[in-house]
Amino acid sequence: MELVNAPAPAVYSNLTVEEFIQKYATHPVYTPPTGPQLNAKNWQSESALRMFLNNLTAEVAEDPEKLVVYGGIGQAARTPADARKIVELLLTLEEDESLLVQSGKPVGKIRSHAEAPRVLIANSNLVPHWATWEHFNNLRDRGLMMYGQMTAGSWIYIGTQGILQGTYETFAACGRIHFGGDLRNRLVVTGGLGGMGGAQPLAATIAGATFLGVDIDPERIKKRLETRYIDKMTYDYNEAMRLVLAAQAKGEAISVGLVGDIGDVLERMIQDNITPDVLTDQTSAHDPINGYVPNGMTLVEAKRLREEDPSAYKEKSLKSMARHVHFMLELKNRGARTFDYGNNLREFAMQGGEKDAFHIQGFVPEYMRPLFCEGKGPFRWAALSGDPEDIRVTDEALKELFPENTHMINWLEQAQEKVAFQGLPCRICWLGMGEREKAGLMFNQLVREGKVKAPIVIGRDHLDCGSVASPYRETEGMLDGSDAVSDWPLLNLMANTSGGATWVSFHHGGGVGIGYSQHAGMVILADGTDRADRCLSRVLHNDPAMGIFRHADAGYETAQENAEKFGLNV
């Protein structure tokens, strides 16, 4: 009997493994294949292969030469040889096998089954007593470990867009809570315009604000200009101030990137009696050696000292962070709405001598926790066809699926107009309990009916409602004091593995650095099959449910109400 709406038969490329590597994965040039043809033996392995290469393509990665995707030293693979081997193994992986990856190094295949994850990843995990940057760096220097960040080592980074809506939701909440609805005529100031912080200018302007971002590295600002995340760039403090203050007075939502040291800029603003309305930071402060650049040093000087004397570098870095936060506190006292954006700046500033660093509130308890209690979080997807039209089709299908969700519809319309794709065409929007499952099944139907040209990969950031234990970020200030309990991300990992995610990961240190967080990631494929329907239904129910379980257990009434609303057994 002929199947109705069955997926089209698989079409395979005729490339050998060596030919594929020559074409798509010759270090340092990595490019994901696109279109409906399979290079691997099945779409599950193919999806992991394409997203791994997408993480490393020059459009996406901050430093493909070093396999660094974002976040200072956040890598997708440990060494070029490991990257090559990962590609080889994904090309030949069977549907009853799963690949094991240990901190960016493929270490073996195990027997599994068709609805099990094709890839199981563990990154940067250390026994708690040894979970320090010193021990990690010693292992890394010996080639025994890499830093996976959050979505770098789990192969679901989608460029700066990946954190864009979460940043927008934060700024929008700030506008609602403190400024009577939005951020028009408000000045937002921040440091850090790298792979994560680079989302801030566009997120702020979508929220209506005038924005000033500072970064010591001009190349990072140039990349944000090229990808339309920032409007203007300058090396001159006075020019930057003229631009943003004039725009603020007119209520113009423009963004300016200033090349400079954020501490110096904040000090100058204090001297000039300029107080921003909103102040935060997304420098790479999670890593005081390989991320943050100390005050008074050029990039060349910083690189030299980092290599010659890491201990001296760290000491300078911590003192600079203390100075940086001291100026943030002064501006807070002058009226700036000041919050930490989860990069562990406060902890390292305190180590550097600023005893009042934690007088600055974290962004999650300040703005995001109500969303977490609803099971909401960053739902992201990638079109494996490589065709931006497939993302347009999914955008429109989501609007039809959730016509009552005007906030999501507005976001998608803004994203269609303003977001430039990096690498494979991707999208992100925040969806909650119930919505994620419906969206995933709808995407699978689009693939089944041929309305998109190839399967769709669905994932999320690890910054999510139920997948992280991070006392200085996602789980800061939990109602019951359970900030540091990491059973929850482990349960998330196991729930998504048993549910049939296409690949899963468990990391240590992402966002805030070694010793300060543990978190789980998941990615699942919509390839139009009945198998995918079953896996999507389980995983996209279980994953947001973990957020409600976690927050209901901590005593949040909203989460308890949502548990009852969605029939979750708490």
Side-chain angles (χ1 to χ4, degrees):
M1 181 184 292
E2 185 178 348
L3 294 175
V4 178
N5 288 333
V11 179
Y12 293 88
S13 77
N14 57 4
L15 295 177
T16 66
V17 169
E18 190 57 41
E19 287 170 339
F20 180 93
I21 289 171
Q22 287 298 315
K23 184 173 183 179
Y24 295 109
T26 301
H27 184 78
V29 179
Y30 298 91
T31 307
T34 56
Q37 279 193 328
L38 276 169
N39 300 278
K41 292 191 172 185
N42 53 75
W43 271 112
Q44 297 169 75
S45 300
E46 181 81 17
S47 63
L49 174 68
R50 293 192 189 191
M51 295 308 294
F52 172 71
L53 293 172
N54 190 62
N55 262 20
L56 289 170
T57 189
E59 291 180 54
V60 175
E62 293 292 307
D63 189 351
E65 177 78 35
K66 296 179 181 176
L67 305 171
V68 169
V69 181
Y70 75 96
I73 55 170
Q75 294 176 267
R78 199 185 303 180
T79 67
D82 292 322
R84 179 190 173 100
K85 194 64 179 178
I86 286 169
V87 170
E88 288 179 14
L89 290 165
L90 289 173
L91 285 168
T92 57
L93 199 65
E94 303 286 352
E95 277 199 313
D96 61 355
E97 295 178 319
S98 296
L99 173 63
L100 304 177
V101 180
Q102 182 262 317
S103 285
K105 178 180 181 178
V107 292
K109 295 187 291 187
I110 58 170
R111 298 173 187 174
S112 57
H113 55 86
E115 295 189 14
R118 290 285 70 77
V119 189
L120 301 163
I121 300 170
N123 283 317
S124 321
N125 294 291
L126 294 163
V127 172
H129 181 76
W130 288 269
T132 65
W133 273 116
E134 289 74 19
H135 189 74
F136 168 82
N137 284 326
N138 177 268
L139 292 169
R140 182 173 179 267
D141 290 345
R142 292 158 57 201
L144 298 173
M145 185 164 265
M146 75 165 199
Y147 192 56
Q149 251 299 345
M150 285 189 156
T151 51
S154 56
W155 311 344
I156 191 61
Y157 185 66
I158 61 170
T160 308
Q161 183 185 173
I163 196 174
L164 180 61
Q165 193 185 358
T167 311
Y168 162 75
E169 295 286 354
T170 302
F171 287 144
C174 181
R176 287 193 305 272
I177 293 168
H178 302 303
F179 300 106
D182 60 40
L183 290 174
R184 278 176 294 181
N185 296 106
R186 305 294 177 179
L187 175 62
V188 174
V189 172
T190 187
L193 293 168
M196 299 298 279
Q200 295 178 103
L202 184 53
T205 54
I206 290 175
T210 303
F211 175 90
L212 175 66
V214 182
D215 201 297
I216 194 70
D217 186 349
E219 294 306 314
R220 296 192 169 195
I221 303 178
K222 288 176 185 176
K223 189 165 187 174
R224 306 291 87 84
L225 273 173
E226 291 164 4
T227 52
R228 305 205 320 262
Y229 276 81
I230 204 162
D231 298 317
K232 300 177 186 294
M233 175 179 175
T234 180
Y235 289 77
D236 184 78
Y237 167 87
N238 289 319
E239 181 186 17
M241 285 303 159
R242 282 196 302 271
L243 287 168
V244 296
L245 293 177
Q248 179 191 10
K250 296 175 186 175
E252 293 177 350
I254 69 160
S255 55
V256 176
L258 171 61
V259 180
D261 178 276
I262 181 60
D264 289 347
V265 171
L266 296 182
E267 182 181 34
R268 183 82 177 271
M269 290 178 70
I270 290 167
Q271 291 169 353
D272 293 345
N273 203 29
I274 299 170
T275 302
D277 298 284
V278 179
L279 176 62
T280 187
D281 183 72
Q282 276 203 51
T283 55
S284 294
H286 66 280
D287 187 343
I289 295 176
N290 295 295
Y292 199 86
V293 177
N295 175 254
M297 303 191 78
T298 66
L299 292 173
V300 172
E301 290 168 343
K303 183 176 185 292
R304 186 184 304 121
L305 182 61
R306 184 183 289 137
E307 293 170 352
E308 293 175 355
D309 193 343
S311 295
Y313 187 102
K314 182 177 180 180
E315 184 179 354
K316 286 181 176 291
S317 199
L318 295 181
K319 288 181 178 177
S320 295
M321 289 189 214
R323 174 178 179 267
H324 177 173
V325 169
H326 176 77
F327 295 139
M328 291 180 73
L329 287 165
E330 174 59 30
L331 288 165
K332 177 177 182 287
N333 291 337
R334 295 184 179 201
R337 293 292 178 178
T338 305
F339 59 89
D340 174 282
Y341 210 101
N343 56 1
N344 220 16
L345 177 65
R346 294 171 299 175
E347 169 63 22
F348 288 124
M350 191 166 69
Q351 291 183 25
E354 180 45 72
K355 59 181 176 52
D356 293 330
F358 280 89
H359 287 189
I360 296 172
Q361 178 71 283
F363 79 107
V364 170
E366 190 85 346
Y367 304 120
M368 306 301 283
R369 187 146 296 139
L371 297 177
F372 288 173
C373 289
E374 297 176 36
K376 284 188 176 176
F379 179 91
R380 61 176 61 170
W381 63 100
L384 295 182
S385 66
D387 189 343
E389 174 65 13
D390 280 0
I391 294 298
R392 191 198 66 78
V393 169
T394 57
D395 284 347
E396 296 306 315
L398 278 173
K399 293 179 194 177
E400 291 180 21
L401 188 64
F402 302 118
E404 74 291 345
N405 192 337
T406 55
H407 184 73
M408 179 206 72
I409 290 170
N410 176 63
W411 164 257
L412 290 174
E413 289 174 349
Q414 294 267 13
Q416 285 175 343
E417 178 187 346
K418 297 178 179 179
V419 175
F421 296 131
Q422 295 172 256
L424 289 172
C426 300
R427 181 70 79 228
I428 184 169
C429 71
W430 277 48
L431 295 178
M433 186 70 203
E435 293 175 322
R436 298 196 211 185
E437 182 181 357
K438 288 179 184 177
L441 292 172
M442 180 268 290
F443 286 177
N444 205 43
Q445 188 66 17
L446 293 177
V447 178
R448 183 179 290 128
E449 294 175 353
K451 292 181 178 177
V452 292
K453 300 173 187 64
I456 295 169
V457 158
I458 299 167
R460 58 159 169 74
D461 194 359
H462 299 209
L463 190 169
D464 193 45
C465 56
S467 62
V468 191
S470 186
Y472 291 161
R473 191 160 137 163
E474 288 84 354
T475 54
E476 179 178 347
M478 292 295 290
L479 196 60
D480 63 348
S482 60
D483 304 24
V485 175
S486 58
D487 293 339
W488 297 101
L490 284 162
L491 288 170
N492 180 282
L493 170 75
M494 290 185 277
N496 284 323
T497 301
S498 62
T502 309
W503 67 96
V504 292
S505 57
F506 192 80
H507 298 218
H508 165 214
V512 289
I514 294 295
Y516 295 97
S517 73
Q518 290 181 296
H519 40 96
M522 78 82 197
V523 185
I524 187 162
L525 175 70
D527 63 0
T529 63
D530 291 343
R531 175 203 56 78
D533 272 340
R534 293 190 296 271
C535 292
L536 286 159
S537 186
R538 290 190 298 256
V539 170
L540 296 179
H541 170 90
N542 295 348
D543 194 49
M546 283 301 308
I548 293 177
F549 290 152
R550 200 270 180 266
H551 289 86
D553 187 75
Y556 290 92
E557 289 185 13
T558 304
Q560 292 165 353
E561 290 165 2
N562 276 294
E564 187 172 340
K565 173 183 174 181
F566 291 106
L568 302 177
N569 263 334
V570 177

